[in-house]
Amino acid sequence: MNYLEGMQYKIKTAAEENWHFHPELEFIFVIEGQIRLEMQGRNDLLKKHDVVLINAGTQHAIHVQEKAIVCVVNYSWQLLSTMLGGEESVFACNSAADRKRSYLKLQAIFQQLVYHAVSRKHKTNCIEQSLLYRLLDELVEYYLQGTRLHDSQEDLRLHKILRYVGANFQSNISLSALADEMFVSTSTLSRFFRKKTGIYFADYVNQVRLDYAAQELGRTDKNVTQIAVDSGFSNLSAFNRVFREMYGVTPSDYRKQSKESLREQNTEETALKEQLKDQLEFEILENTQRPAAAVVQVQADVGRGESYSKVWNLTMNAGSCNTLLLSNMQQHVLYLAEHLGFRYVRMWNVFSVPMMITDGKHMGGYQYDRLDIVLDFLVEHHLIPFLDMGVRPNAAAKAEGKAVFFESESVQFTSRAAWEAMVANFIQHVVKRYGVDVVSEWIFELAYDTVHIPESNCYQDDAYDNVTAFCYLYRQLKAVSQNIQVGGPGAIIGWRDADTRDFLQRAQENGCIPDFASAFLFPYETAIEDGKVVRRRVTNVDNEREQIAYFREMVAQSGLDCKIYISEWNNSLSNRDYLNDSCFRAAYLTEKIEQLWGEVDMLGLWMASDWVSNYYDTGSRIANGGSGLLTKDLIHKPVYYALKFLSSMGDSLIDKGKGYLMTRREQQDYYILCYNFKWYDCSYFVSREDIDDPAVIPTLFQDSDPLTFKFQLQDLPFDRCVIKKRLVSPKEGMILTEWSKFQYALTLDAPDVQYIRQACFPRMSMERMQTQGHTLSFETVLQPHEVMLIHIYRDFD
């Protein structure tokens, strides 16, 4: 047992614990084995490295599933009250029950705490104390709840009583004063407490005082009288009497027994520590200092394979409708469609002020000149509009809460009638201009931007309802053609999930079954801080996969069997983050596509071009951290080539795994896409999101180790082959690397820009090899964030 002021921790073998509660917070970290925790109607299985916090006064029971070793940390009410200024201190922290939140940081702190407790390499407990404070700081910053959201009024009342006792047991405690404060009689409060806890209030107060006294007797040399006073007893005789009733011995005898018992506990804990020492040396030190496995071995029969759909190059996000009035933006859209194979162009703010269609007040007299320019351009080039008909700002951000610009450009419709008249007339207009057959291929979405615009209503109406608006749009479009795709709601997964479920359920009940359920996918957690909606970066490297699984389950539970569209997706919300221009983003995209393989029907990378976020602050820079695939000067970013490689893959999937995808086109061309993806180091999450110095990028990741791929391809239909490699690398061909050769000059001459444009191209190489019995073996080494496309085909020379 290790005591520090207001907090303690111990490493012990888990034991069965019947229903009980504590006056302090209890934090459990599973080192080995499994335990089952019953608490607040839940029954959670806690496995190795799971963490859970049990709030003060929360009834719970623990059952050992298999021999388990745990680290238990307790924080006193006095400490929490002091640190939080007397505020409500209730936490929600359970890694076994909450799969949307990352617990990596808490787990890492616990591992360090256990390691230092086991190794005892320091002469003081300063390290342990700092780690306990770090745990508490992490809890307060990210897991503190404003109220006990899931508690009944009775639970809230009990919690208040326990909090009162925990904060005041060392002084006079008055049940009558507490009853007055809670507007009940003393007898009522006394009966309530006994009903909820099974003991009388006075006995509970004595129990808390005696627990404190017993700890003081066992760990200090204070005289018994001082301990009695410090524990809240009015005199020594009362203390001795109550203590003997509880423990069966005098305080002095208990002290003697306690020290002997403590020696036994220390012996047991020492044995546990010795048992864990070698294991923890490996798990904690090696896992944090040793690189991940450096070799990936792949053995595959190339005769196998199954067809798949390329979901990553269906839709490009082009931004607000008026952006496509720019000739440069049109050029970029055509370029991406031609070279990457995009079919759909997603836009929003169709009814915006810059488009000058309507003022939102009057019905009729609509002016479609500007919109016709945009839609004519798409239709003439055989591109299909994907129109988000919701309300959203025209905005770009450096980081969450740091806007580059923010313009509420959507027309404010003053009534439901005005909006519905606009929608009906717009549909009539496009059908008349382009014909039913053309419009039948279009996609319409009604997304709700409830982060930037909490009430993103299509029109002003006190009785406004998102489902009503969706159903009107749905019926108008389906009346034209059942082939038009209509969906929504553009959910931010984990934010206002009840609204998403309500939309999916009620749309069906109204006979408007969405053709697709749409969501946005970014590695952030949305929450409310100081009354404002904020988005925090998440540390969980598997966040996107877990979000998609959660969203798919939400859709399935609604009874809806439809496509899943990820309308917008990126590694960052920032449009001023040089990571967007780096090879990290290329490796990130490839890694996530491998993770999400077969889980979604469309992935809309955010965005098409840096023209979408071009503004005063960009000046003449050739790169500004925008989220486009192309810079405004048509320079290809690494992520462009990652998509190019993916789009070049064959039509049958042979094999895939961590770091690679292998495909076949017919029986003569084989493509392997491999990559060396590195996740962020913890320092990234405490630094600025808007990385404005390209030189710091290599320092942001967990390690810089190369990765070797050893491939063995069996059943090739030829004896000799050509292996052609295309490599995207931070060392050469990356825009930031080429720009660095010009010392990141803010203004470059046209020939300089032309040079960089031509230099930003994958490095290529080729070799000829002989197969051995139709088996080909070769290897390649990738540095961090390199992405390579390997094309293998018959050698005809």
Side-chain angles (χ1 to χ4, degrees):
M1 183 78 72
N2 300 272
Y3 295 96
L4 297 167
E5 192 62 37
M7 47 192 177
Q8 64 184 47
Y9 74 95
K10 56 186 172 183
I11 297 170
K12 67 174 187 176
T13 302
E16 293 284 324
E17 297 180 22
N18 294 325
W19 287 98
H20 65 290
F21 63 90
H22 308 287
E24 69 279 342
L25 266 70
E26 183 169 278
F27 209 168
I28 300 175
F29 173 69
V30 181
I31 302 171
E32 277 291 340
Q34 298 180 1
I35 62 174
R36 187 168 292 280
L37 174 67
E38 288 188 80
M39 181 174 66
Q40 293 182 321
R42 295 190 59 88
N43 194 325
D44 294 314
L45 181 64
L46 276 66
K47 301 178 181 178
K48 183 175 181 178
H49 293 170
D50 270 330
V51 293
V52 64
L53 187 135
I54 303 168
N55 285 291
T58 300
Q59 293 272 359
H60 62 281
I62 293 176
H63 310 288
V64 180
Q65 296 298 113
E66 60 181 55
K67 186 177 181 181
I69 303 173
V70 296
C71 177
V72 180
V73 174
N74 295 106
Y75 295 106
S76 71
W77 269 113
Q78 294 92 328
L79 176 63
L80 289 169
S81 181
T82 299
M83 296 192 70
L84 297 174
E87 293 182 6
E88 182 81 7
S89 49
V90 178
F91 302 87
C93 177
N94 185 343
S95 65
D98 180 6
R99 295 302 181 186
K100 293 187 294 179
R101 185 195 297 259
S102 171
Y103 288 82
L104 288 177
K105 196 167 183 180
L106 282 176
Q107 291 162 335
I109 297 172
F110 258 116
Q111 284 185 308
Q112 292 177 55
L113 177 64
V114 173
Y115 171 70
H116 285 289
V118 167
S119 63
R120 295 306 303 165
K121 292 184 176 181
H122 296 265
K123 296 178 181 179
T124 71
N125 59 12
C126 293
I127 292 291
E128 289 96 323
Q129 187 167 9
S130 69
L131 290 169
L132 288 171
Y133 276 119
R134 282 178 59 192
L135 270 178
L136 185 55
D137 180 71
E138 186 75 6
L139 280 174
V140 172
E141 287 297 316
Y142 301 110
Y143 300 90
L144 180 65
Q145 304 294 300
T147 58
R148 296 176 73 95
L149 298 176
H150 304 292
D151 286 354
S152 65
Q153 287 301 312
E154 286 193 347
D155 290 331
L156 291 171
R157 179 182 292 179
L158 177 62
H159 178 68
K160 187 170 184 177
I161 298 172
L162 297 177
R163 182 156 55 101
Y164 172 79
V165 174
N168 298 285
F169 74 87
Q170 292 177 296
S171 58
N172 292 328
I173 290 180
S174 171
L175 181 60
S176 61
L178 182 59
D180 290 342
E181 185 179 330
M182 300 177 72
F183 304 105
V184 295
S185 68
T186 303
S187 58
T188 298
L189 193 60
S190 179
R191 286 195 303 273
F192 164 79
F193 187 83
R194 185 154 194 262
K195 174 186 174 184
K196 295 294 290 185
T197 65
I199 61 176
Y200 290 105
F201 178 79
D203 291 339
Y204 175 71
V205 172
N206 282 338
Q207 180 179 310
V208 172
R209 288 171 169 169
L210 290 173
D211 285 345
Y212 176 81
Q215 291 180 15
E216 292 290 282
L217 288 167
R219 71 185 180 94
T220 73
D221 293 323
K222 291 180 183 178
N223 64 60
V224 176
T225 301
Q226 183 63 53
I227 291 175
V229 173
D230 290 346
S231 301
F233 289 94
S234 58
N235 55 68
L236 181 60
S237 61
F239 172 61
N240 285 331
R241 176 178 53 80
V242 176
F243 195 94
R244 182 185 288 273
E245 289 176 359
M246 172 68 75
Y247 293 101
V249 295
T250 66
S252 298
D253 289 339
Y254 179 87
R255 169 170 271 169
K256 295 175 184 177
Q257 295 175 7
S258 179
K259 289 185 176 180
E260 178 62 32
S261 176
L262 188 59
R263 281 193 291 270
E264 293 176 359
Q265 290 179 25
N266 287 339
T267 300
E268 179 189 356
E269 190 167 337
T270 299
L272 280 177
K273 289 176 180 178
E274 286 299 318
Q275 175 185 336
L276 293 170
K277 189 172 182 179
D278 292 340
Q279 174 186 325
L280 290 171
E281 284 281 356
F282 175 80
E283 285 191 2
I284 298 171
L285 289 182
E286 293 293 315
N287 286 351
T288 56
Q289 298 176 4
R290 185 188 57 151
V295 178
V296 174
Q297 298 195 17
V298 182
Q299 186 178 58
D301 181 350
V302 300
R304 296 183 302 137
E306 57 182 27
S307 60
Y308 69 94
S309 298
K310 297 178 179 178
V311 302
W312 49 82
N313 65 341
L314 293 174
T315 298
M316 70 174 91
N317 278 293
S320 292
C321 234
N322 68 84
T323 305
L324 271 174
L325 292 170
L326 297 172
S327 61
N328 284 356
M329 188 65 192
Q330 292 184 3
Q331 177 192 8
H332 286 199
V333 166
L334 290 180
Y335 189 91
L336 292 171
E338 177 184 355
H339 291 86
L340 297 182
F342 286 111
R343 294 181 57 209
Y344 298 98
V345 178
R346 186 170 176 271
M347 303 172 293
W348 46 86
N349 289 348
V350 177
F351 307 143
S352 68
V353 173
M355 296 305 291
M356 300 183 184
I357 299 174
T358 179
D359 61 4
K361 301 174 183 176
H362 303 92
M363 290 182 276
Y366 306 115
Q367 201 265 86
Y368 290 108
D369 290 349
R370 294 192 171 205
L371 183 61
D372 288 344
I373 293 173
V374 173
L375 296 179
D376 286 354
F377 160 73
L378 296 178
V379 172
E380 287 170 7
H381 290 92
H382 307 290
L383 294 171
I384 305 173
F386 182 155
L387 303 177
D388 176 1
M389 305 299 287
V391 175
R392 61 188 293 172
N394 181 30
K398 287 186 176 182
E400 176 55 36
K402 297 181 181 178
V404 178
F405 60 88
F406 187 99
E407 301 165 355
S408 297
E409 64 176 18
S410 296
V411 168
Q412 299 296 307
F413 287 92
T414 57
S415 68
R416 173 178 175 178
W419 181 78
E420 290 183 349
M422 177 76 261
V423 169
N425 189 269
F426 163 72
I427 295 171
Q428 293 171 10
H429 173 78
V430 296
V431 170
K432 181 178 179 180
R433 189 174 183 88
Y434 306 109
V436 172
D437 290 344
V438 170
V439 177
S440 294
E441 296 182 327
W442 294 13
I443 300 177
F444 291 82
E445 179 182 28
L446 196 61
Y448 304 106
D449 183 2
T450 55
V451 171
H452 296 101
I453 308 173
E455 298 300 331
S456 55
N457 298 347
C458 295
Y459 50 83
Q460 298 176 26
D461 190 310
D462 291 340
Y464 180 81
D465 179 70
N466 288 336
V467 177
T468 300
F470 173 80
C471 289
Y472 181 81
L473 176 67
Y474 182 96
R475 292 181 180 118
Q476 290 291 315
L477 290 167
K478 291 297 185 179
V480 172
S481 171
Q482 289 294 316
N483 292 327
I484 297 175
Q485 293 188 59
V486 191
I492 297 174
I493 304 168
W495 169 248
R496 296 177 64 163
D497 289 340
D499 291 349
T500 301
R501 292 188 176 92
D502 181 69
F503 170 86
L504 297 171
Q505 186 65 41
R506 289 177 53 218
Q508 296 177 78
E509 293 171 356
N510 282 274
C512 301
I513 302 175
D515 296 296
F516 60 89
S518 64
F520 299 162
L521 185 64
F522 293 85
Y524 292 79
E525 176 185 68
T526 308
I528 296 179
E529 289 183 359
D530 299 327
K532 295 181 180 179
V533 179
V534 298
R535 305 198 72 184
R536 296 189 295 256
R537 290 170 281 175
V538 298
T539 60
N540 183 6
V541 67
D542 292 322
N543 172 74
E544 292 86 345
R545 176 164 51 192
E546 292 173 4
Q547 282 198 54
I548 292 298
Y550 180 74
F551 185 64
R552 287 183 66 89
E553 183 180 2
M554 193 187 310
V555 173
Q557 288 175 349
S558 74
L560 190 61
D561 182 16
C562 67
K563 297 178 180 179
I564 303 292
Y565 286 178
I566 302 303
S567 305
E568 298 177 19
W569 162 52
N570 195 32
N571 57 287
S572 174
L573 288 167
S574 174
N575 272 289
R576 297 295 183 268
D577 180 358
Y578 280 125
L579 282 172
N580 285 327
D581 303 321
S582 72
C583 282
F584 162 78
R585 191 178 178 209
Y588 168 88
L589 175 137
T590 314
E591 161 87 357
K592 297 308 172 183
I593 284 177
E594 189 278 323
Q595 281 190 352
L596 302 178
W597 194 276
E599 296 298 316
V600 298
D601 300 284
M602 182 184 290
L603 275 169
L605 190 68
W606 187 77
M607 305 278 290
S609 166
D610 280 356
W611 276 107
V612 175
S613 60
N614 196 44
Y615 205 60
Y616 300 116
D617 66 312
T618 61
S620 301
R621 296 179 188 176
I622 64 165
N624 54 56
S627 57
L629 297 169
L630 304 168
T631 73
K632 60 184 181 180
D633 294 304
L634 201 64
I635 298 173
H636 305 76
K637 299 184 183 184
V639 69
Y640 167 91
Y641 287 114
L643 272 176
K644 180 73 172 177
F645 291 169
L646 282 158
S647 301
S648 302
M649 300 281 277
D651 302 317
S652 296
L653 177 68
I654 297 172
D655 191 17
K656 71 179 185 69
K658 182 72 172 178
Y660 71 95
L661 295 163
M662 187 181 301
T663 64
R664 181 186 70 237
R665 181 176 291 127
E666 297 180 347
Q667 293 294 331
Q668 52 188 336
D669 290 276
Y670 304 89
Y671 297 87
I672 303 172
L673 183 59
C674 48
Y675 57 92
N676 184 4
F677 174 68
K678 302 293 184 182
W679 186 235
Y680 301 115
D681 183 77
C682 60
S683 61
Y684 167 77
F685 298 101
V686 296
S687 63
R688 294 171 45 179
E689 183 175 4
D690 49 323
I691 304 298
D692 58 2
D693 180 4
V696 309
I697 289 177
T699 70
L700 300 175
F701 307 102
Q702 289 179 344
D703 64 74
S704 57
D705 302 301
L707 186 59
T708 299
F709 291 87
K710 294 185 176 182
F711 294 103
Q712 186 181 85
L713 309 186
Q714 301 170 344
D715 199 26
L716 280 167
F718 37 73
D719 296 324
R720 287 182 56 80
C721 66
V722 175
I723 302 178
K724 187 177 290 185
K725 298 178 180 179
R726 295 173 173 85
L727 176 69
V728 173
S729 170
K731 294 183 178 179
E732 53 184 298
M734 182 176 76
I735 182 172
L736 297 179
T737 304
E738 299 306 323
W739 189 20
S740 71
K741 298 173 184 178
F742 293 81
Q743 298 182 329
Y744 302 115
L746 300 183
T747 303
L748 296 175
D749 295 336
D752 301 334
V753 175
Q754 178 67 17
Y755 168 81
I756 293 176
R757 184 185 299 122
Q758 293 175 344
C760 292
F761 197 82
R763 188 179 73 210
M764 299 181 65
S765 63
M766 188 181 81
E767 62 178 315
R768 289 182 166 89
M769 291 192 68
Q770 181 80 37
T771 65
Q772 300 295 323
H774 296 284
T775 295
L776 175 66
S777 299
F778 67 98
E779 66 180 60
T780 191
V781 179
L782 295 185
Q783 298 302 318
H785 298 140
E786 288 187 336
V787 181
M788 176 181 285
L789 178 65
I790 303 172
H791 180 196
I792 302 169
Y793 55 94
R794 183 190 299 273
D795 183 3
F796 290 98
D797 293 341

